[in-house]
Amino acid sequence: MSTPSTDLMWQSLPDQPGVYQYYDLNGRLLYVGKAKNLKKRVGSYFSKNHDTAKTRVLVQKIARIEHIVVRNESEALLLENNLIKKEQPPYNIRLKDDKTYPWICIRKEPFPRIFTTRRLIKDGSEYFGPYTNFKVVNTLMELIRTLYPLRTCSLDLSQAALQQKKHKVCLEYHIGNCMGPCEGLESHEDYQVQVEAIRQLLKGNLNESLRDFKKQMTELAADLRFEEAQQVKAKMEALENYQARSTVVSPSLTNLEVFGITSDEGTAFVNFLQIINGAIIRSHTLEIKKKLDESDEEILELAIVELRERFKLVARDILVPFPVSVGEHIRVTVPQMGDKKQLVDLSTRNARAQRIEQMKQLQITDPERHSDRIMAQMKKDLRLSVEPRHIECFDNSNIQGTNPVAACVVFKDGKPSKKDYRHFHVKTVEGPNDFASMEEIVFRRYKRLLDEGQPLPQLILIDGGKGQLSSALKSLDELELRGKIAVIGIAKRLEELFYPGDSIPLYLDKRSETLKVIQYLRNEAHRFGISFHRDVRSKSAINSSLEAIPGVGEKTQQMLIQHFKSVKRLSQAPEIEISKVVGPAKAKKIYEFYQQIAT
């Protein structure tokens, strides 16, 4: 099947569904994929330019292509999933979940035992699960033991052993936890009735058991066996309490599986909910590591197959947030409203909650990896050619047209680098003119960086709309930096992002990490600029009032500004404190001046 040319290899593939496998020169399996049409899908790798570097590297490594033709796309999906799990190719997504979860086993034997286990043995026994919540397992086993007196011993209760009367009842019989099948005190038929009731309980079908208990209680009460009737009533209450603890969604939803997904640049989280008789009986979230910038559709399809196989899910109906192809025998619904839509939203929220929890853990245990993920996401969301490891944001401050100043804040790897923050006095602009001020400040900032040979940012954020962005671009044009640094304007009102030459703004998801970083930058620039403007105004006010005091020169003014910071503090200071700064003679003049103003 292999030839010296990959072009010839893919051109010879059939126009049929199947699975393809890429190998390198050393015969190592690189990647496994599925396709509706093998020839078209594989050909797309070699006939177009790829956006991601990882895909380009993969294509360069391919030396051999093998394929397996199957009957339909669902078979291809199952085969792809099995091959990925078995071979673990380096360029396929990773389903990060290597835990061994417990099962509840109904053992295949004449009088079946029921117990928890982490091992699945193919001996004909029935296994329910696996259960990802250990409290649920313990609650179920406790409920089963409360409701149904089954044996817990490992004795051989075959027909031959019972006929030979090899066994004697134990303490469990005497305290009422077992009905004594080892001595033939309980028939095989009666025992199996209880096992069937447990089987239905584990499947989530509680109503039948409740009806049986109610019938027993009524019959016992009619026979005046009130004590026994009370014991059955206690069992009913225990079963009803367990049913009440299940998350009830809608009695009309009987047997459904619901899937939700959320993802970022490198990781996806897929949650599933299992619905039985209107109640959520299981929820689990799977973490998936991306390798080749896979789409949410591709990831969700593979995750559905994996989760259904892992948890032995058999529902014919599944609910998803968008159309997927997972087999001809499964009805896929994308609900738009009502209870089903709410379930999909709930599953998606569960996936997001898991992602947020993972992000918190990353920040605590591996801040560098967290930063890498944020940078990769920003590059994707903002359509940048490189990750914005160094970002600078500009903001003007000239409240009521006085003391125009500007601020530049610097973020590195998504975090503030406060030692690199800079203040600017606007020098060449008369009056309140935000556009001209922005043009001046951007020019001065990058002229200096160029003159001093300092590194330039990968991204410049301009706090303002199209006008401020155009002003900043004029300065970058003059410095011949246009096209070398990405520039984006952010408008305050609707968080619109404006790009040079594009009249249509970009709107980011309000919950996205990229927008949160941009908002943090913008708010930090505003805070830094306002605080500087406040200081400048205070010093200006001090200067203007001090100039009216005879005998107080420029040097004395500077000393007072440095010490008192504001006019209010100076005007309220006692004479002795002022004298410590400028001496008793000048202090007396200054103190008396402000006392006259106050009166």
Side-chain angles (χ1 to χ4, degrees):
M1 205 181 323
S2 62
T3 69
S5 167
T6 52
D7 287 340
L8 293 176
M9 282 191 282
W10 72 259
Q11 288 175 6
S12 65
L13 292 175
D15 295 309
Q16 293 177 273
V19 170
Y20 54 91
Q21 298 162 280
Y22 294 152
Y23 293 84
D24 64 13
L25 284 169
N26 298 319
R28 183 177 66 136
L29 179 61
L30 298 172
Y31 182 76
V32 174
K34 71 173 189 316
K36 291 181 183 177
N37 184 309
L38 283 165
K39 186 173 184 178
K40 286 184 178 178
R41 181 71 185 101
V42 175
S44 69
Y45 281 89
F46 302 96
S47 58
K48 68 176 185 179
N49 294 323
H50 298 282
D51 296 331
T52 62
K54 287 182 179 178
T55 307
R56 292 194 293 270
V57 171
L58 167 64
V59 172
Q60 291 169 3
K61 289 183 177 180
I62 297 170
R64 190 173 92 248
I65 303 172
E66 292 187 0
H67 70 275
I68 303 169
V69 175
V70 295
R71 289 179 298 180
N72 50 52
E73 191 182 4
S74 61
E75 285 187 7
L77 186 60
L78 288 167
L79 179 57
E80 177 195 32
N81 182 51
N82 290 333
L83 286 172
I84 289 173
K85 285 194 295 185
K86 179 182 177 184
E87 305 294 344
Q88 296 287 298
Y91 284 89
N92 280 102
I93 63 174
R94 290 286 183 266
L95 304 172
K96 286 191 69 180
D97 193 6
D98 54 359
K99 298 175 184 176
T100 303
Y101 296 107
W103 301 73
I104 293 179
C105 174
I106 299 179
R107 188 68 180 271
K108 185 184 180 183
E109 48 196 7
F111 292 86
R113 287 169 294 155
I114 298 175
F115 54 88
T116 60
T117 180
R118 292 178 185 271
R119 296 179 60 202
L120 272 72
I121 303 172
K122 294 182 179 180
D123 59 356
S125 300
E126 291 180 79
Y127 292 88
F128 294 86
Y131 294 93
T132 56
N133 189 322
F134 296 94
K135 288 183 180 179
V136 171
V137 178
N138 294 332
T139 301
L140 277 169
M141 290 305 298
E142 185 179 342
L143 182 66
I144 288 168
R145 294 188 187 106
T146 300
L147 300 177
Y148 307 104
L150 300 186
R151 75 184 184 108
T152 56
C153 65
S154 57
L155 298 176
D156 175 16
L157 298 188
S158 63
Q159 190 65 35
L162 292 177
Q163 288 175 353
Q164 295 173 19
K165 298 184 177 180
K166 286 186 174 183
H167 310 301
K168 295 291 183 182
V169 293
C170 63
L171 179 62
E172 291 292 309
Y173 170 78
H174 293 293
I175 63 177
N177 290 341
C178 177
M179 302 303 292
C182 56
E183 284 196 37
L185 301 176
E186 182 180 23
S187 69
H188 183 266
E189 290 74 17
D190 289 344
Y191 194 97
Q192 287 296 337
V193 168
Q194 295 189 91
V195 171
E196 178 58 29
I198 293 170
R199 187 178 286 114
Q200 294 305 316
L201 187 153
L202 293 173
K203 289 179 178 179
N205 302 323
L206 307 184
N207 293 334
E208 190 172 332
S209 293
L210 285 169
R211 283 195 299 270
D212 290 342
F213 282 136
K214 188 173 183 179
K215 182 181 177 183
Q216 288 179 39
M217 184 181 69
T218 304
E219 291 173 351
L220 290 167
D223 292 342
L224 306 181
R225 296 158 63 184
F226 298 116
E227 188 175 341
E228 293 174 63
Q230 179 59 37
Q231 292 173 353
V232 175
K233 184 182 179 184
K235 291 182 179 182
M236 278 183 62
E237 290 173 349
L239 196 56
E240 286 170 343
N241 287 337
Y242 172 75
Q243 187 178 41
R245 285 199 296 270
S246 299
T247 305
V248 177
V249 287
S250 172
S252 63
L253 302 176
T254 54
N255 189 5
L256 282 175
E257 292 153 17
V258 186
F259 297 88
I261 184 172
T262 186
S263 68
D264 55 32
E265 183 69 17
T267 311
F269 293 87
V270 176
N271 171 266
F272 95 93
L273 304 173
Q274 187 176 9
I275 316 297
I276 299 290
N277 291 332
I280 299 172
I281 67 166
R282 181 185 288 147
S283 174
H284 181 64
T285 301
L286 191 66
E287 180 186 352
I288 299 169
K289 304 302 289 183
K290 294 183 180 180
K291 293 292 181 177
L292 295 174
D293 196 30
E294 294 86 354
S295 68
D296 283 359
E297 288 80 2
E298 292 173 313
I299 292 171
L300 187 57
E301 286 177 356
L302 199 62
I304 289 172
V305 171
E306 170 64 19
L307 288 166
R308 284 175 63 88
E309 182 181 293
R310 180 181 301 182
F311 292 100
K312 310 301 178 189
L313 306 176
V314 294
R316 294 288 303 277
D317 294 282
I318 68 171
L319 307 180
V320 289
F322 44 75
V324 292
S325 178
V326 289
E328 291 76 15
H329 304 297
I330 301 172
R331 287 189 291 269
V332 177
T333 303
V334 183
Q336 302 300 316
M337 62 180 68
D339 291 336
K340 292 183 178 180
K341 178 64 165 64
Q342 290 177 11
L343 278 173
V344 173
D345 292 343
L346 175 62
S347 183
T348 303
R349 285 200 301 272
N350 281 333
R352 285 179 183 149
Q354 184 69 23
R355 177 169 172 253
I356 290 169
E357 183 62 30
Q358 187 77 348
M359 284 163 49
K360 290 178 181 176
Q361 292 300 317
L362 276 175
Q363 290 179 55
I364 295 168
T365 60
D366 194 349
E368 185 175 340
R369 183 180 161 203
H370 173 69
S371 174
D372 290 346
R373 188 181 55 75
I374 295 288
M375 290 297 100
Q377 188 67 37
M378 289 190 74
K379 175 188 173 186
K380 179 180 180 182
D381 289 346
L382 299 176
R383 305 178 304 203
L384 305 176
S385 59
V386 295
E387 292 182 354
R389 293 283 173 174
H390 177 175
I391 308 173
E392 298 191 352
C393 181
F394 292 86
D395 181 47
N396 289 331
S397 295
N398 55 21
I399 298 171
Q400 296 177 342
T402 64
N403 309 109
V405 296
C408 170
V409 299
V410 180
F411 273 36
K412 293 184 177 177
D413 291 328
K415 298 175 184 176
S417 179
K418 294 194 175 183
K419 65 182 179 64
D420 296 312
Y421 285 17
R422 294 293 182 268
H423 285 134
F424 298 90
H425 289 280
V426 177
K427 298 178 179 179
T428 63
V429 180
E430 295 293 333
N433 188 331
D434 280 348
F435 299 155
S437 298
M438 185 63 72
E439 185 177 347
E440 176 193 327
I441 298 308
V442 170
F443 181 85
R444 285 168 55 192
R445 170 64 174 167
Y446 297 112
K447 177 73 165 60
R448 181 163 187 169
L449 290 186
L450 289 171
D451 290 344
E452 295 178 357
Q454 295 185 44
L456 297 170
Q458 287 89 36
L459 173 63
I460 299 171
L461 286 175
I462 304 298
D463 185 13
K466 296 179 182 178
Q468 282 91 339
L469 178 62
S470 297
S471 299
L473 288 169
K474 289 179 183 177
S475 295
L476 294 178
D477 283 335
E478 191 173 344
L479 294 168
E480 298 182 352
L481 291 177
R482 181 80 171 264
K484 296 179 182 178
I485 307 174
V487 190
I488 298 175
I490 175 169
K492 291 183 177 69
R493 185 162 166 261
L494 297 174
E495 309 291 24
E496 300 165 309
L497 300 181
F498 291 96
Y499 287 75
D502 191 345
S503 60
I504 301 174
L506 172 68
Y507 296 93
L508 295 175
D509 189 314
K510 300 301 180 187
R511 294 164 297 196
S512 76
E513 291 177 279
T514 299
L515 183 59
K516 285 182 171 59
V517 173
I518 290 174
Q519 288 171 332
Y520 188 8
L521 270 153
R522 191 265 314 282
N523 294 340
E524 186 72 352
H526 188 64
R527 178 199 64 78
F528 191 56
I530 288 293
S531 64
F532 180 51
H533 188 266
R534 190 179 297 121
D535 290 343
V536 170
R537 279 189 297 138
S538 295
K539 290 173 184 176
S540 176
I542 292 174
N543 285 339
S544 61
S545 62
L546 289 175
E547 286 171 359
I549 305 173
V552 176
E554 186 177 340
K555 188 174 181 180
T556 304
Q557 292 175 19
Q558 289 177 354
M559 291 168 64
L560 291 166
I561 289 168
Q562 188 173 2
H563 183 80
F564 290 103
K565 306 297 184 185
S566 72
V567 173
K568 186 176 180 180
R569 286 182 182 175
L570 177 60
S571 65
Q572 294 174 350
E575 185 177 342
I576 190 170
E577 186 178 347
I578 302 174
S579 68
K580 291 177 182 178
V581 181
V582 296
K586 290 181 180 178
K588 182 176 175 59
K589 291 180 180 180
I590 295 167
Y591 181 76
E592 290 177 350
F593 175 81
Y594 284 112
Q595 287 299 308
Q596 289 175 2
I597 292 176
T599 57

